[in-house]
Amino acid sequence: MPRPRALVCAKTRKPKQPEAKTMEKFAAIRTFIERELGIKMPVSKVPMLESRLVGRMRVLGLTTYEQYEQYLFHDPKAREEVVCFIDAVTTNKTDFYREYPHFEYLSSRAMPTLAPQHGAAKWKAWCAGCSTGEEPYTLAMVMDDYLRQTNNPDFAILATDISTRVLEQARGGIYQADRVTPLPDQLRKRYVLKSRDPHRHDVRIAPELRRRISFHRLNFMDPDYGVKDMFDVIFFRNVAIYFDAPTQERVVGKLCAQLRPGGYFFIGHSESLPGRGHNLEHVGPAIYRKGSGT
């Protein structure tokens, strides 16, 4: 009778690490990303960095990463390339109605408390890290829907991002039709316009929402954001995860300085709020409210 075969446990393969030469080759670019953009760039992200820069090298007619680095940092004509570089290396993942409990909380609990508080002519909201616009447009839909049902102030939204490419798309407000499927039916029917051409599969956000949103480029590493308004609501969701702890602390502090007492601060569900010196009270999952002391 044959003996049973021995059971052998498969060894867990360790992820392949970038070669030392590759790590050294990208040291200056990684340092630039971390210093100028605040984005963590450990060696594990080097393969991703390589793949994203291939397209820029092809456009410029360069064949090696060393040539690209030399051009980026030392060629006087490369000022515009810095903007293209930032567009290439930043991650922009977003969806309509993403993390929907936040929008439900906003309309059912936050906005009713904001209306009588300071009697301003407009509510003001800030989407900090707006990407291609799905978040500020969702926010505008929810706020406008609430406005229609109540006798409350109008609203305006500031939407900022570091990438000029995503801001250009956001301003246009045009999306593939399947992108808006997460929206509740009543919001999609009221605020999303279908093309008259039956062969087109894109939609556009209604103009009454587009004109309420102002899109601007902003780098969270800048010493002065140039934002003078005070806001009732700030969405800073799924952005801080790309920063180290000191950068998170510094950026949140600057954002909270623009939040009215009693205003609401939203972060991503997978994030935690750094530090405890911002006078923010936890009021719901990834939702905070600013106290009256500042």
Side-chain angles (χ1 to χ4, degrees):
M1 184 174 180
R3 290 181 296 176
R5 296 178 180 178
L7 298 177
V8 180
C9 294
K11 294 182 178 181
T12 303
R13 292 185 178 182
K14 294 182 179 180
K16 186 177 180 181
Q17 295 295 321
E19 297 180 2
K21 289 183 179 180
T22 301
M23 292 161 53
E24 182 180 350
K25 175 172 59 180
F26 283 99
I29 289 180
R30 288 169 51 216
T31 299
F32 177 82
I33 293 172
E34 293 178 348
R35 182 184 70 245
E36 300 298 325
L37 309 183
I39 299 174
K40 295 179 292 185
M41 191 57 59
V43 294
S44 60
K45 290 188 176 181
V46 167
M48 177 272 291
L49 182 60
E50 283 186 288
S51 65
R52 293 190 178 186
L53 294 183
V54 167
R56 294 307 311 156
M57 291 168 56
R58 187 180 299 118
V59 169
L60 297 168
L62 304 176
T63 57
T64 68
Y65 294 106
E66 289 81 1
Q67 290 176 339
Y68 181 77
E69 181 179 311
Q70 181 68 22
Y71 176 74
L72 183 67
F73 295 135
H74 303 291
D75 195 315
K77 298 179 292 185
R79 182 176 298 178
E80 293 183 2
E81 178 57 27
V82 173
V83 175
C84 296
F85 169 80
I86 292 172
D87 287 348
V89 301
T90 48
T91 299
N92 299 284
K93 171 68 175 72
T94 187
D95 295 295
F96 283 98
Y97 218 57
R98 186 182 185 186
E99 299 181 354
Y100 67 90
H102 279 172
F103 297 105
E104 294 179 346
Y105 184 99
L106 181 70
S107 60
S108 64
R109 302 185 62 179
M111 292 180 71
T113 70
L114 291 173
Q117 185 178 351
H118 49 78
K122 285 187 178 182
W123 284 314
K124 293 184 180 180
W126 183 0
C127 285
C130 66
S131 187
T132 45
E134 287 89 337
E135 179 175 275
Y137 283 127
T138 302
L139 180 57
M141 293 178 194
V142 171
M143 296 184 80
D144 188 73
D145 185 64
Y146 182 85
L147 183 67
R148 288 169 178 262
Q149 301 175 45
T150 58
N151 184 21
N152 279 285
D154 199 354
F155 68 91
I157 297 174
L158 171 66
T160 61
D161 201 280
I162 193 172
S163 171
T164 54
R165 173 178 52 85
V166 300
L167 287 171
E168 183 178 355
Q169 180 178 344
R171 289 189 186 100
I174 299 175
Y175 302 91
Q176 290 295 308
D178 59 354
R179 295 287 296 164
V180 300
T181 54
L183 289 168
D185 288 344
Q186 74 273 15
L187 298 184
R188 188 170 60 253
K189 291 176 181 178
R190 180 180 295 161
Y191 301 111
V192 178
L193 307 177
K194 296 181 179 179
S195 173
R196 295 179 180 179
D197 184 349
H199 301 290
R200 295 190 61 170
H201 301 289
D202 52 20
V203 296
R204 192 170 196 184
I205 304 302
E208 63 265 28
L209 289 189
R210 299 203 309 272
R211 62 172 170 258
R212 282 193 169 106
I213 304 175
S214 177
F215 291 97
H216 294 279
R217 186 178 183 273
L218 185 146
N219 185 349
F220 290 125
M221 297 302 102
D222 288 345
D224 183 1
Y225 292 169
V227 177
K228 306 304 181 184
D229 290 336
M230 297 296 290
F231 296 89
D232 302 285
V233 175
I234 295 179
F235 272 54
F236 183 58
R237 305 192 309 168
N238 306 300
V239 179
I241 54 175
Y242 298 106
F243 301 153
D244 60 24
T247 303
Q248 292 176 359
E249 176 79 11
R250 186 167 61 253
V251 173
V252 169
K254 287 185 176 183
L255 294 176
C256 286
Q258 305 298 136
L259 185 64
R260 292 182 183 276
Y264 290 84
F265 193 87
F266 294 78
I267 63 175
H269 282 292
S270 62
E271 298 173 312
S272 58
L273 191 69
R276 299 182 181 276
H278 308 302
N279 196 23
L280 295 178
E281 176 190 1
H282 184 255
V283 295
I287 306 171
Y288 297 82
R289 192 176 190 191
K290 190 173 183 179
S292 58
T294 57

